[in-house]
């Protein structure tokens, strides 16, 4: 049986990090709030082309994408703080504890 990864804090409390597991790109409005609060470089804003492909953002090619969405570019850098979920106005995020 797996256990949930948790940390004993200096004050004696136990903290269970909840790591980012998915982001609903349909609900995302590309506001960038989550990007600004993530201290770990996990997230990346990209463009969505007319045929649904994700494309890197470039100031020169704004006409090439229909909308902007956030993506989880580097999930292994996540420390499970859930700051992204707390600030997201569209409730795009799902998080889960790690199993050990
Ligand atoms: S949980 Fe924290 S570290 Fe992980 S993506 Fe969200 S803000 Fe970044
Ligand atoms: S805060 Fe939410 S709506 Fe805004 S870019 Fe991040 S995931 Fe998308």
């Amino acid at each position: 049986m797996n256990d949930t990864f948790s940390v004993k804090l200096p004050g004696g409390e136990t903290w269970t990090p909840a790591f980012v597991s998915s982001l609903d790109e349909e609900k995302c409005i590309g506001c960038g709030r989550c990007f600004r609060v993530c201290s770990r470089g996990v997230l990346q804003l990209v463009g969505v082309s007319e045929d649904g492909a994700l494309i890197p953002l470039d100031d020169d090619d704004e006409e090439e994408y229909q909308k902007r969405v956030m993506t989880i570019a580097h999930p292994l850098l996540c420390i499970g703080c859930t700051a992204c979920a707390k600030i997201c106005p569209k409730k795009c995020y799902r998080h889960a504890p790690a199993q050990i």
Side-chain angles (χ1 to χ4, degrees):
M1 193 177 77
N2 289 342
D3 289 324
T4 298
F5 172 71
S6 60
V7 180
K8 193 82 147 179
L9 299 176
E13 290 177 34
T14 299
W15 173 54
T16 302
F19 299 91
V20 67
S21 57
S22 67
L23 190 171
D24 188 336
E25 290 173 6
E26 294 293 319
K27 288 201 269 179
C28 177
I29 56 174
C31 67
R33 291 180 199 182
C34 54
F35 180 85
R36 289 194 284 277
V37 299
C38 179
S39 62
R40 296 287 297 163
V42 175
L43 308 169
Q44 185 172 11
L45 196 60
V46 301
V48 182
S49 69
E50 202 170 344
D51 59 6
L54 301 181
I55 51 178
L57 287 186
D58 184 331
D59 289 342
D60 296 333
D61 64 4
E62 274 190 28
E63 290 175 9
E64 289 186 15
Y65 55 86
Q66 303 291 303
K67 62 177 271 193
R68 303 188 308 173
V69 295
M70 197 60 66
T71 56
I72 304 169
H74 305 289
L76 296 181
L77 296 180
C78 179
I79 55 171
C81 67
T82 68
C84 51
K86 289 185 183 117
I87 203 152
C88 177
K90 303 300 284 183
K91 302 192 186 320
C92 295
Y93 282 99
R94 293 243 183 285
H95 288 70
Q99 301 299 314
I100 52 176

XYZ file of all heavy atoms in Angstrom:
775
model
N 0.833 -1.189 0.000
C 0.000 0.000 0.000
C 0.881 1.257 0.000
O 1.858 1.327 0.728
C -0.915 -0.007 1.222
C -2.022 1.011 1.148
S -3.133 0.914 2.569
C -2.167 1.726 3.812
N 0.514 2.270 -0.819
C 1.291 3.508 -0.879
C 0.876 4.461 0.234
O -0.280 4.504 0.636
C 1.074 4.196 -2.223
C 1.733 3.434 -3.347
O 2.599 2.602 -3.104
N 1.333 3.719 -4.557
N 1.855 5.256 0.697
C 1.578 6.327 1.638
C 1.631 7.652 0.898
O 2.248 7.771 -0.152
C 2.622 6.338 2.762
C 2.447 5.152 3.692
O 1.287 4.765 3.931
O 3.464 4.615 4.152
N 0.978 8.668 1.476
C 1.025 10.007 0.901
C 2.238 10.748 1.444
O 2.485 10.738 2.651
C -0.261 10.770 1.266
O -1.368 10.071 0.705
C -0.236 12.182 0.723
N 2.969 11.388 0.536
C 4.146 12.151 0.950
C 3.719 13.376 1.737
O 2.880 14.154 1.286
C 4.946 12.581 -0.291
C 6.067 13.517 0.009
C 7.207 13.080 0.663
C 5.981 14.854 -0.357
C 8.250 13.958 0.946
C 7.017 15.747 -0.082
C 8.146 15.288 0.566
N 4.280 13.567 2.930
C 4.000 14.765 3.720
C 5.266 15.187 4.455
O 6.222 14.414 4.560
C 2.846 14.521 4.700
O 3.189 13.482 5.580
N 5.238 16.411 4.958
C 6.416 17.010 5.570
C 6.062 17.477 6.974
O 5.002 18.072 7.182
C 6.883 18.234 4.737
C 8.114 18.867 5.364
C 7.149 17.831 3.296
N 6.956 17.220 7.931
C 6.764 17.727 9.294
C 7.372 19.125 9.357
O 8.568 19.295 9.120
C 7.489 16.795 10.275
C 7.118 17.016 11.712
C 5.838 16.326 12.052
C 5.857 15.845 13.496
N 4.599 15.181 13.826
N 6.549 20.125 9.680
C 7.031 21.502 9.729
C 7.682 21.782 11.083
O 7.408 21.069 12.064
C 5.855 22.461 9.505
C 5.149 22.298 8.148
C 3.946 23.229 8.061
C 6.113 22.577 7.002
N 8.552 22.828 11.163
C 9.249 23.132 12.413
C 8.293 23.319 13.593
O 8.627 22.982 14.728
C 9.997 24.429 12.092
C 10.217 24.383 10.617
C 9.010 23.686 10.046
N 7.104 23.846 13.358
C 6.138 24.057 14.436
C 5.423 22.791 14.871
O 4.596 22.815 15.786
N 5.717 21.676 14.210
C 5.107 20.413 14.603
C 3.952 19.970 13.729
O 3.512 18.824 13.803
N 3.419 20.898 12.915
C 2.305 20.530 12.037
C 2.804 19.701 10.852
O 3.973 19.764 10.489
C 1.621 21.786 11.495
C 0.843 22.561 12.534
C 0.247 23.834 11.943
O -0.129 23.818 10.757
O 0.180 24.828 12.664
N 1.894 18.951 10.276
C 2.222 18.169 9.088
C 1.631 18.858 7.867
O 0.462 19.272 7.882
C 1.635 16.752 9.202
O 2.218 16.127 10.342
C 1.942 15.925 7.963
N 2.426 18.992 6.808
C 1.967 19.607 5.561
C 2.068 18.575 4.449
O 3.101 17.923 4.296
C 2.817 20.831 5.212
C 2.498 21.409 3.864
C 1.283 21.802 3.405
C 3.414 21.645 2.796
N 1.386 22.281 2.114
C 2.690 22.202 1.722
C 4.793 21.455 2.647
C 3.279 22.555 0.517
C 5.381 21.822 1.443
C 4.624 22.361 0.395
N 0.976 18.429 3.720
C 0.947 17.506 2.584
C 0.927 18.315 1.291
O -0.103 18.920 0.957
C -0.295 16.599 2.647
O -0.278 15.892 3.886
C -0.306 15.608 1.484
N 2.049 18.403 0.568
C 2.058 19.154 -0.685
C 1.087 18.527 -1.686
O 0.932 17.303 -1.736
C 3.499 19.007 -1.192
C 4.295 18.485 -0.052
C 3.349 17.751 0.831
N 0.431 19.386 -2.471
C -0.464 18.909 -3.533
C 0.107 19.395 -4.862
O 0.089 20.589 -5.145
C -1.877 19.432 -3.307
N 0.633 18.465 -5.619
C 1.358 18.805 -6.846
C 0.396 18.993 -8.021
O -0.620 18.297 -8.121
C 2.381 17.712 -7.158
C 3.411 17.558 -6.073
C 3.211 16.664 -5.035
C 4.556 18.345 -6.069
C 4.143 16.535 -4.010
C 5.494 18.226 -5.046
C 5.287 17.322 -4.019
N 0.769 19.923 -8.913
C -0.099 20.207 -10.055
C -0.192 18.955 -10.941
O 0.817 18.343 -11.288
C 0.422 21.436 -10.833
C 1.756 21.178 -11.510
C -0.614 21.934 -11.822
N -1.413 18.558 -11.278
C -1.584 17.344 -12.088
C -2.245 17.626 -13.438
O -1.979 16.929 -14.414
C -2.407 16.301 -11.330
O -3.656 16.827 -10.950
N -3.104 18.641 -13.495
C -3.697 18.974 -14.793
C -4.223 20.404 -14.777
O -4.411 21.006 -13.720
C -4.823 18.000 -15.156
O -5.905 18.170 -14.258
N -4.468 20.913 -15.963
C -4.941 22.287 -16.156
C -5.953 22.235 -17.306
O -5.639 21.727 -18.382
C -3.728 23.142 -16.525
C -3.817 24.660 -16.575
C -2.413 25.236 -16.742
C -4.714 25.181 -17.646
N -7.143 22.724 -17.064
C -8.203 22.658 -18.075
C -8.029 23.802 -19.085
O -8.391 24.958 -18.801
C -9.569 22.745 -17.385
C -10.711 22.493 -18.338
O -10.535 22.698 -19.561
O -11.791 22.097 -17.869
N -7.473 23.495 -20.224
C -7.197 24.531 -21.231
C -8.479 25.099 -21.840
O -8.475 26.188 -22.408
C -6.284 23.966 -22.324
C -4.886 23.710 -21.805
C -4.004 22.996 -22.819
O -4.437 22.791 -23.968
O -2.887 22.624 -22.430
N -9.587 24.369 -21.743
C -10.866 24.887 -22.252
C -11.355 26.050 -21.389
O -11.929 27.016 -21.887
C -11.927 23.776 -22.253
C -11.641 22.640 -23.212
C -11.716 23.107 -24.664
O -12.633 23.878 -24.970
O -10.838 22.716 -25.453
N -11.152 25.945 -20.079
C -11.619 26.986 -19.172
C -10.653 28.157 -19.070
O -11.039 29.266 -18.717
C -11.824 26.399 -17.771
C -13.029 25.490 -17.644
C -13.467 25.356 -16.208
C -12.820 24.215 -15.501
N -13.200 24.067 -14.099
N -9.373 27.918 -19.357
C -8.328 28.929 -19.177
C -8.560 30.133 -20.086
O -8.834 29.980 -21.277
C -6.964 28.313 -19.467
S -5.609 29.504 -19.346
N -8.415 31.336 -19.504
C -8.579 32.571 -20.280
C -7.227 33.231 -20.564
O -7.175 34.369 -21.052
C -9.525 33.561 -19.567
C -9.016 33.863 -18.141
C -10.954 33.020 -19.552
C -9.803 34.946 -17.405
N -6.141 32.561 -20.195
C -4.805 33.082 -20.506
C -4.446 34.362 -19.785
O -3.651 35.162 -20.287
N -4.982 34.560 -18.576
C -4.761 35.827 -17.864
C -3.346 35.945 -17.297
O -2.885 37.049 -17.021
C -5.780 35.985 -16.740
S -5.600 34.781 -15.396
N -2.678 34.810 -17.086
C -1.293 34.832 -16.616
C -1.122 34.975 -15.113
O 0.002 35.055 -14.618
N -2.216 35.013 -14.350
C -2.087 35.187 -12.891
C -1.309 34.041 -12.261
O -0.486 34.250 -11.374
C -3.465 35.275 -12.242
C -4.190 36.543 -12.601
C -5.559 36.588 -11.942
N -6.387 37.552 -12.648
C -7.616 37.865 -12.313
N -8.174 37.302 -11.279
N -8.296 38.738 -13.010
N -1.596 32.846 -12.677
C -0.916 31.670 -12.101
C 0.581 31.716 -12.406
O 1.410 31.390 -11.553
C -1.530 30.387 -12.633
S -1.581 30.312 -14.435
N 0.929 32.136 -13.595
C 2.335 32.238 -13.996
C 3.082 33.171 -13.055
O 4.209 32.897 -12.645
C 2.418 32.744 -15.440
C 3.809 32.885 -15.958
C 4.479 31.801 -16.501
C 4.454 34.106 -15.898
C 5.770 31.934 -16.978
C 5.744 34.250 -16.375
C 6.405 33.157 -16.914
N 2.428 34.273 -12.692
C 3.105 35.283 -11.878
C 3.318 34.815 -10.442
O 4.246 35.279 -9.782
C 2.320 36.600 -11.912
C 2.417 37.303 -13.263
C 1.934 38.739 -13.200
N 0.484 38.847 -13.144
C -0.305 38.808 -14.211
N 0.218 38.676 -15.403
N -1.603 38.904 -14.087
N 2.491 33.916 -9.932
C 2.687 33.475 -8.544
C 3.530 32.210 -8.434
O 3.972 31.865 -7.341
C 1.346 33.233 -7.805
C 0.534 34.519 -7.742
C 0.540 32.105 -8.421
N 3.767 31.525 -9.530
C 4.563 30.289 -9.458
C 6.042 30.661 -9.382
O 6.591 31.270 -10.295
C 4.303 29.398 -10.665
S 5.312 27.890 -10.608
N 6.674 30.246 -8.293
C 8.085 30.587 -8.075
C 9.022 29.562 -8.697
O 10.233 29.688 -8.580
C 8.359 30.667 -6.567
O 8.106 29.388 -5.973
N 8.470 28.554 -9.348
C 9.298 27.426 -9.774
C 9.437 27.278 -11.291
O 10.038 26.325 -11.765
C 8.705 26.134 -9.194
C 8.742 26.087 -7.681
C 10.141 25.857 -7.187
N 10.618 24.557 -7.638
C 11.887 24.176 -7.660
N 12.815 24.995 -7.258
N 12.214 22.983 -8.091
N 8.842 28.151 -12.053
C 8.996 28.055 -13.507
C 8.310 26.847 -14.104
O 8.747 26.306 -15.119
N 7.216 26.416 -13.489
C 6.496 25.225 -13.957
C 5.645 25.536 -15.196
O 5.476 24.688 -16.072
C 5.583 24.679 -12.826
C 4.733 23.515 -13.310
C 6.418 24.289 -11.617
N 5.132 26.763 -15.260
C 4.067 27.088 -16.208
C 4.573 27.890 -17.408
O 5.576 28.596 -17.311
C 2.975 27.882 -15.482
C 2.459 27.211 -14.201
C 1.583 28.169 -13.413
C 1.724 25.928 -14.530
N 3.847 27.771 -18.507
C 4.224 28.520 -19.712
C 2.967 28.898 -20.490
O 2.107 28.045 -20.746
C 5.137 27.668 -20.592
C 5.664 28.433 -21.783
C 6.717 27.651 -22.539
O 6.918 26.462 -22.301
N 7.369 28.303 -23.454
N 2.886 30.175 -20.854
C 1.768 30.662 -21.653
C 2.064 30.397 -23.126
O 3.159 30.696 -23.610
C 1.598 32.157 -21.401
C 0.295 32.819 -21.823
C -0.891 32.201 -21.108
C 0.355 34.319 -21.532
N 1.089 29.834 -23.832
C 1.274 29.547 -25.256
C 0.040 30.013 -26.030
O -1.002 30.309 -25.448
C 1.498 28.026 -25.522
C 2.711 27.511 -24.769
C 0.258 27.232 -25.185
N 0.161 30.066 -27.343
C -0.957 30.404 -28.192
C -1.647 29.150 -28.701
O -1.040 28.074 -28.755
N -2.941 29.286 -29.043
C -3.685 28.178 -29.644
C -4.074 28.599 -31.058
O -4.758 29.612 -31.244
C -4.954 27.831 -28.836
C -5.681 26.648 -29.469
C -4.616 27.538 -27.394
N -3.622 27.846 -32.039
C -3.904 28.196 -33.430
C -5.336 27.810 -33.799
O -6.038 27.146 -33.024
C -2.929 27.483 -34.360
O -3.212 26.105 -34.355
N -5.764 28.189 -34.977
C -7.132 27.918 -35.440
C -7.455 26.436 -35.421
O -8.580 26.021 -35.123
C -7.294 28.463 -36.853
C -8.712 28.731 -37.223
C -8.799 29.499 -38.531
O -7.788 30.067 -38.965
O -9.885 29.505 -39.098
N -6.455 25.589 -35.719
C -6.702 24.136 -35.724
C -6.403 23.475 -34.379
O -6.345 22.254 -34.279
C -5.894 23.456 -36.839
C -4.402 23.684 -36.683
O -4.003 24.270 -35.653
O -3.650 23.280 -37.580
N -6.230 24.280 -33.322
C -6.080 23.725 -31.987
C -4.662 23.399 -31.576
O -4.445 22.902 -30.464
N -3.695 23.682 -32.413
C -2.302 23.374 -32.062
C -1.760 24.425 -31.097
O -2.114 25.603 -31.182
C -1.453 23.337 -33.326
N -0.916 23.989 -30.155
C -0.275 24.902 -29.216
C 1.007 25.423 -29.850
O 1.839 24.638 -30.330
C 0.041 24.173 -27.900
C -1.164 23.577 -27.175
C -0.726 22.912 -25.868
C -2.223 24.640 -26.877
N 1.159 26.740 -29.846
C 2.333 27.333 -30.489
C 3.005 28.331 -29.545
O 2.336 28.992 -28.756
C 1.954 28.040 -31.813
C 0.776 28.998 -31.589
C 1.605 27.037 -32.898
C 0.378 29.774 -32.818
N 4.335 28.421 -29.596
C 5.040 29.368 -28.727
C 4.591 30.795 -29.012
O 4.277 31.129 -30.161
C 6.515 29.182 -29.110
C 6.580 27.937 -29.910
C 5.229 27.705 -30.493
N 4.571 31.621 -27.970
C 4.154 33.011 -28.144
C 5.303 33.847 -28.667
O 6.433 33.708 -28.244
C 3.681 33.590 -26.814
C 2.337 33.111 -26.306
C 1.956 33.884 -25.061
C 1.263 33.289 -27.359
N 4.965 34.717 -29.593
C 5.941 35.634 -30.157
C 5.197 36.933 -30.450
O 4.143 36.914 -31.076
C 6.510 35.027 -31.458
C 7.606 35.895 -32.041
O 7.564 37.121 -31.817
O 8.485 35.348 -32.723
N 5.731 38.039 -29.964
C 5.039 39.328 -30.147
C 4.739 39.621 -31.614
O 3.807 40.342 -31.944
C 5.894 40.466 -29.578
C 5.923 40.424 -28.064
O 5.046 39.757 -27.489
O 6.817 41.041 -27.475
N 5.529 39.046 -32.502
C 5.380 39.385 -33.920
C 4.275 38.600 -34.625
O 3.886 38.937 -35.728
C 6.695 39.120 -34.663
C 7.788 40.029 -34.129
O 7.438 41.111 -33.628
O 8.960 39.633 -34.197
N 3.792 37.501 -34.014
C 2.846 36.657 -34.755
C 1.505 36.508 -34.040
O 0.899 35.447 -34.043
C 3.457 35.284 -35.050
C 3.735 34.507 -33.783
O 3.380 34.993 -32.692
O 4.303 33.414 -33.898
N 1.025 37.610 -33.417
C -0.236 37.553 -32.677
C -1.391 37.065 -33.532
O -2.330 36.459 -33.038
C -0.577 38.926 -32.098
C 0.079 39.168 -30.756
C -0.447 40.418 -30.086
O -1.601 40.773 -30.342
O 0.310 41.016 -29.320
N -1.350 37.311 -34.827
C -2.467 36.915 -35.687
C -2.473 35.415 -35.941
O -3.437 34.878 -36.481
C -2.398 37.683 -37.005
C -2.717 39.159 -36.807
C -2.535 39.982 -38.076
O -2.333 39.381 -39.144
O -2.600 41.211 -37.970
N -1.428 34.711 -35.559
C -1.359 33.281 -35.836
C -2.109 32.439 -34.811
O -2.314 31.264 -35.017
C 0.102 32.815 -35.901
C 0.808 33.316 -37.139
C 2.195 32.741 -37.264
O 2.492 31.749 -36.568
O 2.970 33.285 -38.044
N -2.506 33.035 -33.671
C -3.241 32.247 -32.687
C -4.575 32.891 -32.325
O -4.727 34.108 -32.368
C -2.398 31.967 -31.442
C -1.820 33.179 -30.752
C -2.566 33.875 -29.810
C -0.529 33.608 -31.026
C -2.035 34.978 -29.164
C 0.003 34.711 -30.387
C -0.748 35.389 -29.461
O -0.229 36.478 -28.832
N -5.544 32.024 -31.965
C -6.900 32.464 -31.651
C -7.016 32.944 -30.209
O -7.763 33.855 -29.910
C -7.878 31.296 -31.835
C -7.850 30.694 -33.221
C -8.408 31.662 -34.231
O -9.532 32.102 -34.095
N -7.615 32.000 -35.236
N -6.314 32.262 -29.294
C -6.363 32.618 -27.887
C -5.064 32.175 -27.244
O -4.255 31.484 -27.879
C -7.562 31.964 -27.185
C -7.544 30.430 -27.194
C -8.710 29.835 -26.435
C -8.402 29.624 -24.974
N -9.347 28.780 -24.242
N -4.895 32.562 -25.968
C -3.712 32.149 -25.226
C -4.155 31.269 -24.062
O -5.193 31.534 -23.442
C -2.955 33.361 -24.691
C -2.555 34.307 -25.803
C -1.651 35.405 -25.314
N -2.182 36.127 -24.160
C -1.503 37.050 -23.484
N -0.280 37.351 -23.842
N -2.046 37.655 -22.458
N -3.388 30.243 -23.771
C -3.697 29.373 -22.632
C -2.409 29.058 -21.875
O -1.312 29.072 -22.443
C -4.357 28.031 -23.045
C -5.718 28.253 -23.657
C -3.452 27.232 -23.948
N -2.572 28.764 -20.592
C -1.435 28.342 -19.777
C -1.243 26.843 -19.946
O -2.211 26.087 -20.126
C -1.708 28.680 -18.302
C -0.484 28.681 -17.443
S 0.766 29.867 -17.979
C -0.060 31.430 -17.698
N 0.011 26.421 -19.888
C 0.315 24.983 -19.953
C 1.282 24.619 -18.828
O 2.003 25.476 -18.304
C 0.967 24.605 -21.301
O 2.128 25.408 -21.490
C 0.002 24.799 -22.451
N 1.282 23.347 -18.469
C 2.212 22.841 -17.454
C 3.451 22.360 -18.201
O 3.511 21.219 -18.664
C 1.568 21.702 -16.640
C 0.259 22.187 -16.012
C 2.526 21.192 -15.564
C -0.585 21.078 -15.403
N 4.428 23.247 -18.317
C 5.591 22.959 -19.157
C 6.627 22.082 -18.441
O 7.269 21.247 -19.061
C 6.237 24.266 -19.605
N 6.765 22.286 -17.119
C 7.814 21.564 -16.373
C 7.243 21.021 -15.062
O 7.556 21.529 -13.971
C 8.997 22.502 -16.094
C 9.558 23.133 -17.326
N 10.281 22.427 -18.273
C 9.474 24.404 -17.790
C 10.634 23.236 -19.249
N 10.148 24.432 -18.990
N 6.386 20.004 -15.138
C 5.688 19.519 -13.935
C 6.621 19.026 -12.836
O 6.282 19.113 -11.646
C 4.808 18.375 -14.465
C 5.410 17.996 -15.782
C 6.026 19.241 -16.333
N 7.786 18.521 -13.184
C 8.684 17.974 -12.158
C 9.295 19.064 -11.279
O 9.876 18.755 -10.230
C 9.797 17.137 -12.807
C 9.305 15.882 -13.539
C 10.480 15.108 -14.122
C 8.499 14.991 -12.598
N 9.164 20.329 -11.681
C 9.684 21.424 -10.848
C 8.683 21.863 -9.781
O 9.007 22.660 -8.907
C 10.048 22.632 -11.725
C 11.183 22.424 -12.734
C 11.424 23.707 -13.528
C 12.461 22.007 -12.014
N 7.455 21.364 -9.843
C 6.392 21.780 -8.915
C 6.718 21.338 -7.485
O 7.145 20.205 -7.256
C 5.059 21.169 -9.356
S 3.682 21.581 -8.259
N 6.499 22.257 -6.509
C 6.726 21.928 -5.097
C 5.410 21.743 -4.340
O 5.408 21.599 -3.119
C 7.579 23.002 -4.399
C 6.961 24.396 -4.565
C 9.015 22.973 -4.928
C 7.621 25.475 -3.715
N 4.293 21.788 -5.055
C 3.013 21.461 -4.421
C 2.443 22.541 -3.534
O 1.670 22.252 -2.608
N 2.737 23.811 -3.825
C 2.274 24.896 -2.949
C 0.815 25.278 -3.198
O 0.190 25.925 -2.363
C 3.162 26.117 -3.128
S 3.035 26.909 -4.759
N 0.282 24.968 -4.365
C -1.092 25.251 -4.824
C -1.394 26.748 -4.986
O -2.558 27.137 -5.076
C -2.186 24.603 -3.941
O -2.199 25.222 -2.657
C -1.994 23.106 -3.825
N -0.357 27.594 -5.016
C -0.593 29.036 -5.219
C -1.301 29.289 -6.548
O -2.139 30.191 -6.653
C 0.734 29.790 -5.178
N -0.975 28.514 -7.570
C -1.587 28.697 -8.895
C -3.098 28.470 -8.826
O -3.879 29.236 -9.400
C -0.937 27.764 -9.908
S -0.868 26.040 -9.380
N -3.504 27.429 -8.131
C -4.933 27.124 -8.031
C -5.669 28.180 -7.226
O -6.807 28.544 -7.547
C -5.130 25.754 -7.394
N -5.015 28.680 -6.172
C -5.686 29.664 -5.316
C -5.963 30.954 -6.064
O -6.963 31.627 -5.804
C -4.830 29.937 -4.074
C -4.801 28.759 -3.108
C -4.039 29.099 -1.841
C -3.971 27.883 -0.929
N -2.626 27.418 -0.709
N -5.090 31.333 -6.991
C -5.268 32.627 -7.659
C -6.056 32.520 -8.971
O -6.517 33.517 -9.509
C -3.897 33.289 -7.916
C -4.086 34.793 -8.071
C -3.201 32.701 -9.143
C -2.921 35.608 -7.671
N -6.241 31.323 -9.484
C -6.906 31.147 -10.776
C -8.403 31.494 -10.676
O -9.131 30.874 -9.904
C -6.755 29.704 -11.261
S -7.636 29.413 -12.813
N -8.866 32.468 -11.463
C -10.274 32.871 -11.379
C -11.231 31.883 -12.056
O -12.441 31.995 -11.899
C -10.288 34.220 -12.115
C -9.181 34.123 -13.104
C -8.133 33.258 -12.473
N -10.720 30.940 -12.823
C -11.564 30.021 -13.575
C -11.523 28.586 -13.064
O -12.057 27.671 -13.694
C -11.147 30.034 -15.059
C -11.200 31.417 -15.697
C -12.584 32.031 -15.671
C -13.472 31.405 -16.717
N -14.792 32.049 -16.751
N -10.837 28.375 -11.965
C -10.731 27.025 -11.351
C -10.241 25.984 -12.365
O -10.858 24.924 -12.542
C -12.071 26.600 -10.733
C -12.573 27.574 -9.671
C -13.723 26.979 -8.896
C -14.376 27.943 -7.919
N -13.524 28.828 -7.176
N -9.153 26.306 -13.007
C -8.620 25.423 -14.059
C -7.810 24.249 -13.524
O -7.642 23.247 -14.221
C -7.707 26.224 -14.986
S -8.557 27.517 -15.913
N -7.298 24.376 -12.302
C -6.270 23.430 -11.846
C -6.797 22.239 -11.068
O -7.785 22.328 -10.364
C -5.258 24.162 -10.948
C -4.274 24.975 -11.736
C -4.466 26.347 -11.889
C -3.166 24.394 -12.326
C -3.566 27.104 -12.621
C -2.266 25.141 -13.057
C -2.468 26.488 -13.204
O -1.587 27.237 -13.936
N -6.051 21.123 -11.215
C -6.226 19.974 -10.332
C -4.844 19.673 -9.744
O -3.840 19.732 -10.447
C -6.696 18.747 -11.113
C -8.093 18.888 -11.692
C -9.053 17.843 -11.082
N -10.367 17.924 -11.665
C -11.264 18.886 -11.403
N -10.963 19.854 -10.576
N -12.434 18.897 -11.981
N -4.858 19.345 -8.462
C -3.628 18.987 -7.760
C -3.829 17.658 -7.038
O -4.953 17.280 -6.716
C -3.255 20.044 -6.716
C -2.755 21.324 -7.306
N -3.561 22.199 -7.990
C -1.529 21.880 -7.315
C -2.849 23.239 -8.392
N -1.611 23.070 -7.990
N -2.718 16.982 -6.782
C -2.809 15.708 -6.057
C -1.550 15.516 -5.229
O -0.460 15.909 -5.653
C -2.971 14.556 -7.039
N -1.680 14.893 -4.047
C -0.498 14.568 -3.260
C 0.326 13.484 -3.958
O -0.199 12.732 -4.777
C -1.045 14.063 -1.922
C -2.509 13.936 -2.086
C -2.917 14.480 -3.416
N 1.605 13.417 -3.614
C 2.465 12.379 -4.177
C 2.377 11.110 -3.335
O 2.233 11.176 -2.117
C 3.899 12.868 -4.235
N 2.452 9.971 -4.013
C 2.459 8.683 -3.312
C 3.903 8.214 -3.172
O 4.702 8.349 -4.087
C 1.652 7.648 -4.098
C 0.201 8.017 -4.326
C -0.579 8.188 -3.028
O -0.481 7.362 -2.133
N -1.332 9.277 -2.929
N 4.228 7.653 -2.000
C 5.591 7.138 -1.797
C 5.546 5.677 -1.399
O 4.500 5.155 -1.032
C 6.348 7.935 -0.699
C 5.520 8.027 0.587
C 6.646 9.336 -1.222
C 6.257 8.710 1.709
S 1.611 24.249 -7.118
Fe 3.089 25.962 -6.743
S 5.021 25.260 -7.670
Fe 3.369 23.938 -8.490
S 2.744 24.895 -10.426
Fe 1.387 25.702 -8.820
S 2.374 27.627 -8.091
Fe 3.933 26.439 -9.256
S -4.903 31.854 -13.639
Fe -6.273 30.265 -14.522
S -7.331 31.325 -16.190
Fe -5.523 32.569 -15.696
S -3.892 31.798 -17.080
Fe -3.723 30.645 -15.144
S -4.927 28.759 -15.520
Fe -5.550 30.255 -17.081
